[in-house]
Amino acid sequence: MIILISLLFIFCSYLLGGLNGAILLCRIKGWEDPRLAGSKNPGSTNMLRLHHAQAASAVLIFDLLKGTLPVYLAYFLGFSPLCIGFIGIATCLGHIFPPYFEFKGGKGVATSLGVLLPLGTNMSGLLVLTWLLTLAISGYASLAAIITAIAAPIIIEQIKPEFTLPVLMLSILILLRHVSNIKRLLSGKEKKIVNWKQ
């Protein structure tokens, strides 16, 4: 019975993760599908490029919350760390492969951060700081996401080692979604979102 409840919770988390904030906002506003413009990634960074800070902020908050809610609820209900990890991964997979939008979603950075928020403010604070520092130094949002994904399992190992395996799995998923960004960074073709020289 416990296994059945866990599987149902994981499946529902996937469905919740499939609600993409950028795509939904663009449909409500009558804007072009973010998967067809800019970086073609339906996330807050591309929304900032295509529209304005308010739109990007709304998408960021939405994607954070949909990652946080199922994990927080599972944590509150006493699910095992491994099960909580799979719930978080399922939510991110829903964002990346949304069943409502032809399975073409975003890269899962904001949703992943939302998944990690219930694990503790010290954990999430260090990750946000890592992301902000990398962005401030490099100007690349993609590099900030990559460095943060690499740092996440190292940080969680020091704070809550029982979550290291699921966080490592989540980090690998994020890194796989950024392979094209890594190639552009190495070739010098990646676009900065912050350019201090201007």
Side-chain angles (χ1 to χ4, degrees):
M1 187 66 179
I2 295 175
I3 294 175
L4 183 61
I5 292 173
S6 299
L7 290 174
L8 181 61
F9 207 107
I10 289 169
F11 180 67
C12 289
S13 298
Y14 167 76
L15 294 178
L16 177 63
L19 298 171
N20 186 284
I23 298 173
L24 289 172
L25 181 60
C26 286
R27 290 193 177 183
I28 291 169
K29 291 285 189 178
W31 296 337
E32 185 179 10
D33 191 321
R35 295 171 296 178
L36 302 176
S39 67
K40 298 182 180 179
N41 177 56
S44 56
T45 302
N46 197 31
M47 290 297 285
L48 181 61
R49 288 193 185 100
L50 297 174
H51 301 290
H52 44 68
Q54 292 92 333
S57 298
V59 170
L60 177 62
I61 293 170
F62 183 91
D63 288 345
L64 279 170
L65 284 176
K66 76 178 182 185
T68 298
L69 290 175
V71 172
Y72 181 81
L73 183 58
Y75 192 84
F76 178 77
L77 292 174
F79 282 73
S80 70
L82 187 60
C83 185
I84 291 173
F86 281 123
I87 287 167
I89 290 170
T91 308
C92 292
L93 284 172
H95 179 84
I96 296 169
F97 304 108
Y100 320 109
F101 307 114
E102 301 86 37
F103 297 97
K104 297 176 182 177
K107 295 187 175 178
V109 177
T111 305
S112 297
L113 180 58
V115 162
L116 297 174
L117 286 176
L119 303 186
T121 53
N122 47 1
M123 165 72 179
S124 53
L126 285 170
L127 290 177
V128 170
L129 183 62
T130 301
W131 190 89
L132 288 173
L133 283 175
T134 308
L135 179 64
I137 293 169
S138 70
Y140 294 106
S142 57
L143 183 60
I146 292 164
I147 296 297
T148 304
I150 293 171
I154 299 171
I155 294 172
I156 198 69
E157 173 66 23
Q158 307 306 315
I159 299 173
K160 289 190 175 181
E162 64 270 25
F163 288 101
T164 300
L165 178 59
V167 170
L168 177 61
M169 293 167 65
L170 191 58
S171 293
I172 291 172
L173 180 63
I174 297 300
L175 290 173
L176 288 174
R177 289 294 289 173
H178 282 80
V179 169
S180 59
N181 299 91
I182 293 171
K183 290 179 180 178
R184 287 196 296 270
L185 284 165
L186 292 173
S187 65
K189 296 179 180 179
E190 183 75 333
K191 293 181 180 179
K192 291 185 176 183
I193 192 170
V194 177
N195 194 338
W196 300 113
K197 294 180 180 180
Q198 291 182 350

